[in-house]
Amino acid sequence: MSKIDIGINESDRIAIADGLKHLLADSYTLYLQTHNFHWNVTGPQFRELHLMFEEHYTELATAVDDIAERIRTLDVAAPGTYKAFAELSSIAEVDGVPAAQDMVNILTQSHEAVVKTCRRVLKIAQDADDESTAALVGDRMGVHEKTAWMLRATQSS
């Protein structure tokens, strides 16, 4: 493969890719968490939550691919193991099967954690004039902010 020359210096590309690795790990961990809750949710809101969680993990499946491909576009290897994701992610694993309302609360907090990761990566990308990464991360941030809002809206007052 020829040497990369896209107008972003190597140290900035590496810094951006490192931030994106954290976003990828958060997104994949959230994907797994959401899929787990989709499989295991029970209770009066079963159908609503089961379908909503499916929408969320389906969207996340596309997102992780987009993020990993952006890392590769920056000429850096994307992480792809549970071990790597566990080391990079800010989202804690959940033991057992929480109650449906707890699932909603956990997912809300997880989406908010991804928003915070997006904000950190966005700053790095903007400082390096990397509009492609900034656009990707900005879009991801919007998705997670909206999803957290929708999850909060399902919670009882």
Side-chain angles (χ1 to χ4, degrees), residues 29-81:
T29 303
L30 179 54
Y31 164 83
L32 186 60
Q33 188 178 74
T34 306
H35 214 151
N36 175 31
F37 291 172
H38 164 79
W39 290 326
N40 291 299
V41 68
T42 59
Q45 288 185 291
F46 166 78
R47 181 164 174 74
E48 174 189 350
L49 294 177
H50 182 77
L51 294 173
M52 181 171 55
F53 295 165
E54 182 175 9
E55 290 172 8
H56 294 174
Y57 77 70
T58 300
E59 192 281 330
L60 282 161
T62 300
V64 296
D65 200 49
D66 291 342
I67 297 163
E69 288 177 355
R70 183 63 193 157
I71 294 168
R72 292 299 301 134
T73 300
L74 294 168
D75 201 33
V76 175
T81 65

Side-chain angles (χ1 to χ4, degrees), residues 3-19 21 71 73-77 124 128 130:
K3 185 172 168 52
I4 185 171
D5 183 14
I6 59 172
I8 303 170
N9 70 49
E10 183 177 12
S11 62
D12 285 343
R13 282 188 298 101
I14 291 169
I16 294 163
D18 284 347
K21 287 177 185 181
I71 294 168
T73 300
L74 294 168
D75 201 33
V76 175
I124 297 165
D130 179 358

Side-chain angles (χ1 to χ4, degrees), residues 108-129:
T108 300
Q109 291 169 3
S110 294
H111 279 278
E112 290 173 344
V114 178
V115 169
K116 292 172 189 172
T117 299
C118 286
R119 290 189 187 286
R120 288 190 296 274
V121 180
L122 183 60
K123 174 107 175 75
I124 297 165
Q126 289 171 333
D127 288 348
D129 293 325

